[in-house]
Amino acid sequence: QLGYMLCLLATCRSWGELQNESESEAKAQERLTQYEDVVQNHQRHRTVVCSCLILNFFRSFVVSGVEMASALLLETKFEWKQRWVGIAIAACFLCCIPMRLMDGLLRARMELVSWIYLLIYISICSTIFLFDFGGASSALLLLLGDSILFPSMYQAEALCMGIAQQHAVPGSVLNSEGIVLLKSVLGALGRLFGPTMSRWLIEVGSQDWYAGTQFIIVFSFLVVFRYGVDALLVSKSAERRGKSASQ
């Protein structure tokens, strides 16, 4: 009977040790899963932030290039005086005010990503007015394209930079302060290359070369936003719904 009791105690002790080992393995697996989620989340945030910074460069490149090219075309092709050229381009930039008012009205009825897509589509369509149309273009068509392209690109890029700040990675170059610094650097580079490229395309090629380049850059803005920002936001929300459903 004493031997039976000793065997029973040894069995209970072994069972407790096995149970503790299984619990520790479960906790280790849970910690490993949490670590993998954190790493994947940081990678996703870095991709979103880098994509938004690329969009900032595209916006700076396009807007500065269109501003310079419009001034050049109005002065040389349409023979406007410099005074009226400056007033006309300034009036195009003032169209950012009604665009901002429209943003306040539509943001309550549309999701953020949908509103950004709409702004990008508007920007793509506005580049059509930059083409020469075989010599049938006019100064009013050119300014119409500018007045639509300027505010829509600015608003889309501003919303994307807001997304970038929401996905800042603390303790890295892509934190909130780093995003502001990189935004300034890339914006300066865009303002450097945009006017230079636009002027070179008009002088070496034609107005259509310049307009085609702007169309390609704005379309690239759409591609980067679709696969570098929106796709990752969708996957993130899908993961959250999956975790909530499993819980």
Side-chain angles (χ1 to χ4, degrees), residues 62-79:
V62 169
V63 170
S64 61
V66 169
E67 179 185 359
M68 194 288 308
S70 298
L72 177 63
L73 291 172
L74 290 174
E75 187 175 353
T76 58
K77 181 178 179 179
F78 300 106
E79 298 180 352

Side-chain angles (χ1 to χ4, degrees), residues 86-182:
I87 293 174
I89 293 179
C92 292
F93 277 104
L94 288 177
C95 292
C96 292
I97 297 176
M99 178 62 72
R100 183 66 185 87
L101 297 176
M102 187 182 301
D103 175 76
L105 294 174
L106 295 181
R107 282 282 298 280
R109 303 179 182 180
M110 299 178 62
E111 295 183 355
L112 175 62
V113 174
S114 301
W115 176 231
I116 294 176
Y117 272 122
L118 179 59
L119 290 171
I120 297 174
Y121 293 145
I122 292 174
S123 301
I124 293 174
C125 293
S126 66
T127 59
I128 298 175
F129 298 104
L130 305 180
F131 285 89
D132 187 32
F133 298 109
S137 66
S138 64
L140 293 180
L141 284 179
L142 184 65
L143 292 174
L144 176 61
D146 294 351
S147 62
I148 298 174
L149 183 60
F150 287 157
S152 56
M153 283 290 288
Y154 266 114
Q155 190 66 30
E157 182 263 343
L159 295 175
C160 290
M161 293 310 301
I163 295 176
Q165 287 290 348
Q166 293 175 356
H167 291 77
V169 183
S172 68
V173 180
L174 299 179
N175 56 13
S176 298
E177 294 79 8
I179 291 174
V180 175
L181 176 61
L182 292 173

